[in-house]
Amino acid sequence: MAFSFSVLASGSTGNAIYVETERHSFLVDAGLSGKQMEQLLRQIGRDPKNLTGILVTHEHKDHITGVGILARKYQLPVYANEKTWKAMEPLIGEIPKENKFIFPMESVLSFGGLDIESFGVSHDAAEPMFYIFHHDGKKLAIITDTGYVSSRMKGMIKDADTYVFETNHDVEMLRMGKYPWNIKRRILSDIGHVSNEEAALAMADCIGDKTKRIYLAHLSKDNNMKELARMSVSQILQKKGYDVGGRILLCDTDPKIPTPLTAV
């Protein structure tokens, strides 16, 4: 599997995705403790000391908890845009200057045949952005932590072979749930998180002839369930004419259990 990945953890308690090619391997975020991150990597047969670096999406705790620990322990380069660096630096501790890299939004960094493209999302962070990986004619698009999916975002992530796509909440579960109204309003806002239905409608505009798998990610532990997210997305995509369960597979992610290392 020359170009493969695993969603190590996904949800409100911590997020991390592992992506590798023959020559390079990256974490997208490290939102659990250093020890937990090491354990998750070992569960998929990978050693953190072999990582090429860590790509950070934004400074929220569930995305950066282990960044500083891993970077210092394994001398790993860390990549983030300038505003995210300023926001997260007080939270992750000192990173040696030689391992701090600016990855501007809407740009591409290349690593020996692996092109990593950054794009902005709409979330209540300093300058949140996510990543698209291009290698050997294949495309992996990661998009979570956004209040909506704009036409610009859809254009950038369109026709990926594989998606890691946020399905954060079921709107009715959220409305009827225990969260205070100010938190509900934040989640439902344009700088919060996308619902199952919103995600499915966005997916319908992005899926292309190459698309094989969609991983449903960043599910709220209080306002969603794997079965509900899968059912909601499946119903909408099927109504739009997509062969869900045949040509296109919907895959679960978990806050504690990595998905199997799978070819993009």
Side-chain angles (χ1 to χ4, degrees), residues 15-260:
N15 297 274
I17 297 170
Y18 173 82
V19 183
E20 72 173 18
T21 64
E22 305 96 323
R23 296 169 57 190
H24 299 284
S25 59
F26 286 91
L27 285 179
V28 177
D29 294 330
L32 297 92
S33 72
K35 186 175 180 182
Q36 287 172 301
M37 290 301 311
E38 290 170 336
Q39 290 170 345
L40 289 166
L41 284 164
R42 290 192 179 113
Q43 282 180 56
I44 62 164
R46 295 297 181 264
D47 193 321
K49 74 174 185 232
N50 296 324
L51 287 166
T52 305
I54 304 172
L55 302 156
V56 179
T57 62
H58 62 295
E59 74 276 9
H60 288 170
K61 184 181 176 183
D62 58 323
H63 293 260
I64 63 164
T65 293
V67 170
I69 299 153
L70 292 177
R72 286 186 289 275
K73 184 172 180 179
Y74 298 102
Q75 288 82 54
L76 297 176
V78 179
Y79 300 82
N81 64 49
E82 202 163 349
K83 288 184 181 177
T84 297
W85 265 115
K86 285 178 183 172
M88 77 173 175
E89 224 160 0
L91 307 173
I92 65 171
E94 190 67 34
I95 302 292
K97 195 172 181 181
E98 63 271 18
N99 283 336
K100 289 172 59 177
F101 292 88
I102 302 293
F103 193 155
M105 188 186 288
E106 315 287 348
S107 66
V108 178
L109 291 185
S110 296
F111 300 85
L114 173 64
D115 294 330
I116 306 173
E117 184 178 10
S118 64
F119 65 98
V121 296
S122 180
H123 196 50
D124 56 351
E127 194 169 68
M129 69 183 193
F130 276 79
Y131 300 98
I132 305 160
F133 292 80
H134 304 266
H135 178 68
D136 203 18
K138 293 193 178 273
K139 178 176 177 179
L140 166 66
I142 301 168
I143 180 167
T144 70
D145 297 79
T146 189
Y148 68 99
V149 184
S150 68
S151 298
R152 178 187 56 80
M153 295 180 215
K154 290 175 190 174
M156 296 188 78
I157 66 175
K158 194 171 179 65
D159 200 19
D161 295 85
T162 302
Y163 290 97
V164 179
F165 216 113
E166 175 170 58
T167 50
N168 177 257
H169 59 277
D170 174 79
V171 172
E172 285 311 305
M173 278 186 76
L174 176 61
R175 287 189 191 281
M176 301 297 289
K178 63 185 180 182
Y179 286 11
W181 175 241
N182 65 314
I183 302 293
K184 293 180 183 181
R185 188 169 56 199
R186 177 243 169 197
I187 293 168
L188 292 164
S189 77
D190 280 354
I191 54 170
H193 295 275
V194 290
S195 69
N196 296 334
E197 291 76 14
E198 290 166 331
L201 290 169
M203 289 173 202
D205 290 337
C206 297
I207 291 169
D209 293 338
K210 297 196 307 176
T211 306
K212 301 185 296 290
R213 290 188 191 86
I214 303 172
Y215 287 75
L216 307 181
H218 214 303
L219 273 68
S220 165
K221 64 179 180 179
D222 296 312
N223 302 306
N224 211 351
M225 297 180 288
K226 291 178 186 178
E227 298 79 6
L228 180 57
R230 220 180 313 117
M231 182 183 72
S232 301
V233 171
S234 180
Q235 285 177 348
I236 290 172
L237 291 182
Q238 284 173 342
K239 281 181 187 174
K240 296 280 186 180
Y242 290 107
D243 180 18
V244 179
R247 184 175 77 82
I248 296 168
L249 298 178
L250 299 181
C251 307
D252 293 334
T253 63
D254 192 88
K256 296 180 180 177
I257 303 166
T259 65

